[in-house]
């Protein structure tokens, strides 16, 4: 449990009473009660209010807010406010200001833009965390610490550059090793002094996001920036833990956010929390995958939905309203996939600045007679009824999909073979193929133990880190099914090609050699032609983006290309290795191919969907001891009926017994307790 003080799904969100006159809070508290809100995230952006000048701090206003909330029965998720530095600090200590990718020194403004290597920022951020923890360590309202807010972005200032050199010295020890790792003899970029190394930006090696002359330095800068921000987080973490060793600490992540290696961060978060902002046209399965990824960061431990909007956003190009029922549907989607909290940005809509048109539980009209408030209150009442039933339950999966941030950076920094290759899209294709047939998957990092899975899918695992190929071999040898795709096993962790034929270190387990890689134009495609029908696969399927031209080195050829000069060469192979199988999908296939392929692989392993798929109805199961909770989420605009088969079930909220079928309203949710 995240904190036993509140043994239910936490319900609440970001709250900024300091932006309002005091009387407003009295109204807010009344409405929180009506909506069943029991947690308020406070103090997210109040550094300037807490530290008025270098030596003057004022916590009295925050004392009052926290006390009032607690008296009202509302707990607190207490943020440290270090996501935006005060104006006086920027003026007095310009080292807190970042230098951007183009080399421009920023002025005061915006947020999330402190230089992560600024001595001033680090000192005062940690000091603020320390003071907050000292002051509120015994306050009964506080459930959890929320460090800073959505860490992100990069800095290219001189102090970052210096710290980068130190970071590199630790990583490589000698310049000789560094020159080798980055292959600097290319274009005569050899370094003879550490001081010669500069950060890779628009002024040096990178001419655009994701375009670099040297992948080695660009990869290392991403690692270094992610580490630098993680160090800032850790400084605050340690300051908080000094006073409150038992209070959990988190920072709100951003799902598929590219710039930070969240698997590395996760080790230092007591609980994962993240902010979910899908747009009207975001595929449901992409949101599901992101939840599963956030759950995977800490090996399946329940996570927090820290932010979502009750209705609309302000920062998307077209900020559509969440249709009736959708806020609840998407909230339960998070819970279905492992969230133990449902929280919003924001509880009251602000009166000015850029987020005044961002949705909130309490809208500008200021009372509770709104559609959004009614929907929030309805969900609040349900979460109250659910009490602690779902808490700490787990999603159990026998299929895993590998996701690696460093691999993603490398794939997208690669100059060639195609700009069309997007790592997340390729991963999502495989996830979606499972999702469409109700087969649960875990999203795992490259450090994860593979032994509890029957099937491990590693889409476009271009970068093979030291020891990984061996772990895959052991997994397959012991009976596991492994699936790799085109453009895999090409480089090591410095983006240096593994010589001797693609897919490098994976060649042995896959039993193939990829001789060439063809890139297809957007209007081109090829075909995967099954040699004979296998399971549900028969005939021809469209494929695109990249086609590896492979030769079997022992693998059985299941399908070949249908056209072009490599027509007849293998497109799908399977290698028997020890007691397991290693599959290679040499190109990017259409969805129906992947659905059938994965269905067959699952069937061969005895993995079945809990319930037959109904289009647009998402299914997920959470389990605790012998209890199983089946979530049915109807994303359709129309009613849907789901056949339950032999399940004997009760509606978890109404407690009514249910047999045979469940009918879900448009956008409706049912949670079943399966006996
Ligand atoms: C992010 C931030 C919040 C707020 C919301 C608006 O998630 O963490 O402070 O700006 O976006 O969607
Ligand atoms: Zn900097």
């Amino acid at each position: 449990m995240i904190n036993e003080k509140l043994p239910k799904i936490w319900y609440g969100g970001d709250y900024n009473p300091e932006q309002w006159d005091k009387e407003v809070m009295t109204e807010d508290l009344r409405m929180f009660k009506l909506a069943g809100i029991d947690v308020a995230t406070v103090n997210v952006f109040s550094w300037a209010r807490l530290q008025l000048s270098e030596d003057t701090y004022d916590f009295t206003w925050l004392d009052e807010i926290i006390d009032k909330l607690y008296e009202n029965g509302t707990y607190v998720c207490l943020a440290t406010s270090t996501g935006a530095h005060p104006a006086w600090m920027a003026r007095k200590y310009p080292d807190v200001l970042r230098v951007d990718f183009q080399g421009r020194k920023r002025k005061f403004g915006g947020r999330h833009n402190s230089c992560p290597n600024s001595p001033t920022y680090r000192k005062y951020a940690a000091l603020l965390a320390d003071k907050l923890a000292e002051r509120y360590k015994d306050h009964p309202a506080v459930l959890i610490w929320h460090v800073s807010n959505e860490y992100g972005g990069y800095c290219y200032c001189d102090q970052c550059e210096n710290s980068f050199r130190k970071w590199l010295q630790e990583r490589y020890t000698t310049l000789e090793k560094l020159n080798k790792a980055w292959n600097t003899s290319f274009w005569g970029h050899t370094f003879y002094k550490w001081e010669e190394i500069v950060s890779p930006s628009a002024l040096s090696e990178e001419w655009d996001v994701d375009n670099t002359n040297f992948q080695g330095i660009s990869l290392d800068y991403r690692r270094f920036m992610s580490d630098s921000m993680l160090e800032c987080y850790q400084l605050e973490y340690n300051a908080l833990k000094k006073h409150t060793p038992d209070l959990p600490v988190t920072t709100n992540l951003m799902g598929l956010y590219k710039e930070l290696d969240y698997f590395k961060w996760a080790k230092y978060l007591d609980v994962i929390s993240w902010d979910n902002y899908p747009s009207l046209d975001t595929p449901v399965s992409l949101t599901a995958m992101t939840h599963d990824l956030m759950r995977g960061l800490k090996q399946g431990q329940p996570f927090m939905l820290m932010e979502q909007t009750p209705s609309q956003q302000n920062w998307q190009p077209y900020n559509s309203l969440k249709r009736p029922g959708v806020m609840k549907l998407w909230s339960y989607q998070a819970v279905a996939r492992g969230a133990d909290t449902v929280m919003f940005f924001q509880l009251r809509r602000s009166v000015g600045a850029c987020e005044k048109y961002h949705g909130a539980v309490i809208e500008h009209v200021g009372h509770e007679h709104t559609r959004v408030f009614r929907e929030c209150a309805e969900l609040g009442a349900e979460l109250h009824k659910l009490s602690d039933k779902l808490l700490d339950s787990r999603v159990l999966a026998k299929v895993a999909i590998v996701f690696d941030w460093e691999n993603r950076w490398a794939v997208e920094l690669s100059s060639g073979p195609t700009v069309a290759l997007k790592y997340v899209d390729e991963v999502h294709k495989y996830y979606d193929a499972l999702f469409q047939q109700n087969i649960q998957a875990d999203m795992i990092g490259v450090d994860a133990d593979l032994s509890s899975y029957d099937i491990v899918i590693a889409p476009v695992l271009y970068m093979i880190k030291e020891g990984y190929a061996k772990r895959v071999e052991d997994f397959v040898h012991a009976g596991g099914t492994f699936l790799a795709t085109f453009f895999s096993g090409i480089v090591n962790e410095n983006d240096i090609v593994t010589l001797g034929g693609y897919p490098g270190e994976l060649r042995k387990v896959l039993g193939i050699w990829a001789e060439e890689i063809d890139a297809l134009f957007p209007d081109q495609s090829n075909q995967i032609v099954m040699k004979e029908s296998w399971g549900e696969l028969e005939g021809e399927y469209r494929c695109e983006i990249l086609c590896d031209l492979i030769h079997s080195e022992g693998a059985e050829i299941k399908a070949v290309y249908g056209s072009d000069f490599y027509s007849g060469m293998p497109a799908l192979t399977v290698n028997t290795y020890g007691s397991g199988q290693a599959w290679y999908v040499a190109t990017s296939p259409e969805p129906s191919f992947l659905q059938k392929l994965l269905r067959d692989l699952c069937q061969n392993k005895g993995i079945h969907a809990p319930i037959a798929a109904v289009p647009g109805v998402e299914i997920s199961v959470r389990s605790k001891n012998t209890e199983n909770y089946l979530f049915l989420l109807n994303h359709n605009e129309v009613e849907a009926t789901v056949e339950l088969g032999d399940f004997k079930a009760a509606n978890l909220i109404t407690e009514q017994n249910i047999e045979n079928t469940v009918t879900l309203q448009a956008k409706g949710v049912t949670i079943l307790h399966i006996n």
Side-chain angles (χ1 to χ4, degrees):
M1 219 174 279
I2 308 170
N3 188 324
E4 287 173 2
K5 271 195 226 167
L6 185 56
K8 67 173 278 289
I9 295 175
W10 299 0
Y11 193 47
D14 279 40
Y15 179 49
N16 300 296
E18 73 282 3
Q19 295 175 10
W20 297 85
D21 294 338
K22 283 191 183 163
E23 314 77 70
V24 178
M25 188 165 174
T26 313
E27 257 309 86
D28 293 341
L29 295 177
R30 181 185 69 81
M31 281 189 269
F32 291 174
K33 284 265 185 225
L34 290 178
I37 280 167
D38 38 43
V39 182
T41 305
V42 297
N43 197 40
V44 185
F45 289 107
S46 309
W47 199 344
R49 187 77 181 75
L50 291 170
Q51 190 179 1
L52 288 74
S53 70
E54 191 153 12
D55 320 299
T56 329
Y57 287 84
D58 174 20
F59 295 93
T60 50
W61 63 274
L62 186 57
D63 295 347
E64 198 182 326
I65 288 172
I66 296 177
D67 288 346
K68 275 191 185 168
L69 283 164
Y70 189 62
E71 281 158 25
N72 192 58
T74 315
Y75 287 93
V76 164
C77 167
L78 188 49
T80 61
S81 264
T82 53
H85 51 238
W88 65 259
M89 192 180 285
R91 191 172 71 93
K92 190 160 181 191
Y93 298 106
D95 68 283
V96 302
L97 296 166
R98 283 187 187 177
V99 169
D100 71 13
F101 183 68
Q102 271 78 28
R104 298 172 301 200
K105 177 82 173 167
R106 301 262 323 183
K107 293 194 176 187
F108 177 71
R111 60 173 181 169
H112 301 153
N113 56 6
S114 310
C115 165
N117 288 294
S118 148
T120 309
Y121 175 73
R122 287 186 171 205
K123 175 177 148 193
Y124 283 118
L127 190 61
L128 185 56
D130 184 89
K131 284 182 185 290
L132 285 163
E134 191 177 21
R135 191 168 190 101
Y136 299 109
K137 62 176 188 283
D138 298 320
H139 203 297
V142 182
L143 294 179
I144 186 166
W145 292 107
H146 173 306
V147 175
S148 190
N149 192 74
E150 294 190 334
Y151 282 98
Y154 289 169
C155 178
Y156 299 86
C157 75
D158 290 348
Q159 66 213 349
C160 283
E161 201 164 66
N162 272 322
S163 304
F164 182 44
R165 293 178 189 130
K166 287 197 198 101
W167 185 94
L168 291 169
Q169 284 183 30
E170 270 173 38
R171 186 175 173 90
Y172 295 105
T173 62
T174 68
L175 273 175
E176 203 186 337
K177 288 190 189 149
L178 174 142
N179 279 314
K180 190 155 191 277
W182 292 356
N183 198 37
T184 54
S185 49
F186 179 76
W187 289 358
H189 281 208
T190 311
F191 296 109
Y192 296 101
K193 293 242 171 350
W194 293 99
E195 296 69 42
E196 291 161 9
I197 299 170
V198 297
S199 50
S201 69
L203 302 179
S204 53
E205 299 293 10
E206 297 184 14
W207 63 93
D208 196 359
V209 188
D210 288 343
N211 281 308
T212 179
N213 300 312
F214 279 80
Q215 283 73 25
I217 186 172
S218 293
L219 269 173
D220 276 341
Y221 205 71
R222 282 156 180 73
R223 291 181 176 119
F224 159 71
M225 270 292 137
S226 179
D227 284 1
S228 298
M229 271 171 253
L230 178 55
E231 274 170 29
C232 293
Y233 166 82
Q234 285 172 299
L235 287 171
E236 291 195 42
Y237 181 96
N238 294 337
L240 298 168
K241 285 286 176 179
K242 196 172 79 189
H243 300 286
T244 57
D246 300 327
L247 269 188
V249 180
T250 189
T251 180
N252 47 342
L253 307 180
M254 294 178 278
L256 291 162
Y257 183 68
K258 189 169 173 181
E259 273 73 17
L260 304 178
D261 180 356
Y262 283 159
F263 274 108
K264 192 162 184 191
W265 278 64
K267 298 186 182 117
Y268 307 97
L269 271 60
D270 295 328
V271 55
I272 298 297
S273 66
W274 86 282
D275 302 342
N276 181 31
Y277 290 102
S279 143
L280 194 67
D281 57 359
T282 306
V284 171
S285 67
L286 187 64
T287 309
M289 180 177 105
T290 315
H291 283 306
D292 287 359
L293 179 62
M294 295 296 98
R295 185 184 74 239
L297 293 179
K298 279 188 101 63
Q299 295 77 43
Q301 189 182 306
F303 60 89
M304 293 176 69
L305 176 62
M306 183 66 92
E307 291 181 25
Q308 64 169 350
T309 177
S311 52
Q312 67 192 150
Q313 281 132 25
N314 66 291
W315 47 265
Q316 293 181 347
Y318 307 99
N319 297 287
S320 49
L321 298 174
K322 282 187 181 168
R323 277 32 210 169
V326 170
M327 182 280 290
K328 182 160 129 185
L329 177 69
W330 290 1
S331 300
Y332 279 125
Q333 182 185 33
V335 175
R337 301 204 161 267
D340 275 0
T341 74
V342 173
M343 290 163 65
F344 298 112
F345 182 88
Q346 49 194 338
L347 296 186
R348 178 182 271 276
R349 196 183 270 229
S350 57
V351 69
C354 65
E355 286 177 345
K356 63 182 173 301
Y357 301 128
H358 193 292
V361 176
I362 304 170
E363 305 202 78
H364 285 150
V365 70
H367 60 57
E368 64 269 34
H369 307 292
T370 63
R371 174 184 75 91
V372 170
F373 190 91
R374 276 192 298 275
E375 291 193 29
C376 290
E378 193 185 306
L379 178 58
E382 286 190 9
L383 295 180
H384 195 74
K385 272 198 185 154
L386 284 172
S387 165
D388 66 347
K389 284 180 200 144
L390 292 164
L391 292 190
D392 279 330
S393 57
R394 301 297 167 119
V395 176
L396 305 173
K398 298 308 277 177
V399 184
I401 299 181
V402 177
F403 190 95
D404 183 36
W405 264 268
E406 295 186 26
N407 178 62
R408 176 183 184 185
W409 295 335
V411 166
E412 289 168 19
L413 283 168
S414 157
S415 182
T418 176
V419 294
L421 179 57
K422 298 286 174 233
Y423 179 63
V424 170
D425 291 355
E426 292 308 309
V427 173
H428 179 236
K429 284 177 190 169
Y430 283 83
Y431 182 91
D432 184 67
L434 293 165
F435 179 89
Q436 297 305 339
Q437 39 201 335
N438 296 344
I439 293 170
Q440 194 78 55
D442 276 349
M443 301 294 296
I444 61 170
V446 289
D447 291 335
D449 175 24
L450 304 180
S451 64
S452 63
Y453 297 105
D454 291 333
I455 301 178
V456 173
I457 301 170
V460 196
L461 198 61
Y462 164 77
M463 172 190 285
I464 299 293
K465 294 181 183 165
E466 209 179 317
Y468 197 67
K470 171 77 172 65
R471 292 182 38 224
V472 170
E473 283 169 15
D474 291 347
F475 168 72
V476 180
H477 199 269
T481 296
F482 178 70
L483 184 151
T485 74
F486 63 96
F487 207 49
S488 290
I490 312 271
V491 299
N492 70 6
E493 63 184 57
N494 296 313
D495 204 73
I496 297 294
V497 171
T498 303
L499 297 177
Y502 317 135
E505 292 185 60
L506 295 178
R507 194 165 157 190
K508 184 164 122 196
V509 72
L510 292 164
I512 54 143
W513 167 43
E515 184 180 345
E516 295 182 85
I517 305 167
D518 192 21
L520 276 53
F521 274 69
D523 56 356
Q524 281 184 314
S525 62
N526 204 314
Q527 306 79 41
I528 300 175
V529 183
M530 295 306 297
K531 286 187 69 175
E532 53 194 58
S533 51
W534 180 79
E536 293 185 39
L537 286 167
E538 57 182 359
E540 271 186 36
Y541 301 87
R542 191 174 46 80
C543 61
E544 54 184 15
I545 303 181
L546 286 181
C547 295
D548 278 9
L549 277 53
I550 63 173
H551 305 277
S552 164
E553 292 180 329
E556 186 189 337
I557 300 166
K558 290 286 192 186
V560 295
Y561 288 113
S563 54
D564 218 318
F565 78 95
Y566 44 92
S567 161
M569 285 184 83
L572 175 70
T573 59
V574 56
N575 194 38
T576 303
Y577 185 86
S579 348
Q581 289 190 326
W583 289 80
Y584 194 73
V585 184
T587 177
S588 187
E590 64 174 288
S592 70
F593 176 87
L594 289 182
Q595 284 182 25
K596 291 178 190 170
L597 175 64
L598 296 189
R599 181 148 58 233
D600 286 333
L601 298 190
C602 288
Q603 264 164 18
N604 286 345
K605 283 289 183 187
I607 302 168
H608 300 286
I611 280 202
V614 175
V617 178
E618 178 180 354
I619 303 283
S620 182
V621 182
R622 284 184 72 169
S623 307
K624 182 157 69 170
N625 307 319
T626 53
E627 311 298 312
N628 294 305
Y629 304 101
L630 180 80
F631 291 76
L632 305 168
L633 306 152
N634 183 14
H635 295 279
N636 297 301
E637 308 284 342
V638 292
E639 197 177 90
T641 301
V642 178
E643 303 288 335
L644 290 182
D646 299 336
F647 283 132
K648 294 261 174 297
N651 183 314
L652 190 63
I653 292 167
T654 64
E655 293 177 354
Q656 275 168 344
N657 285 330
I658 294 185
E659 274 180 48
N660 308 323
T661 60
V662 177
T663 300
L664 300 151
Q665 291 170 359
K667 307 290 178 194
V669 179
T670 299
I671 311 172
L672 296 177
H673 183 189
I674 309 273
N675 310 305

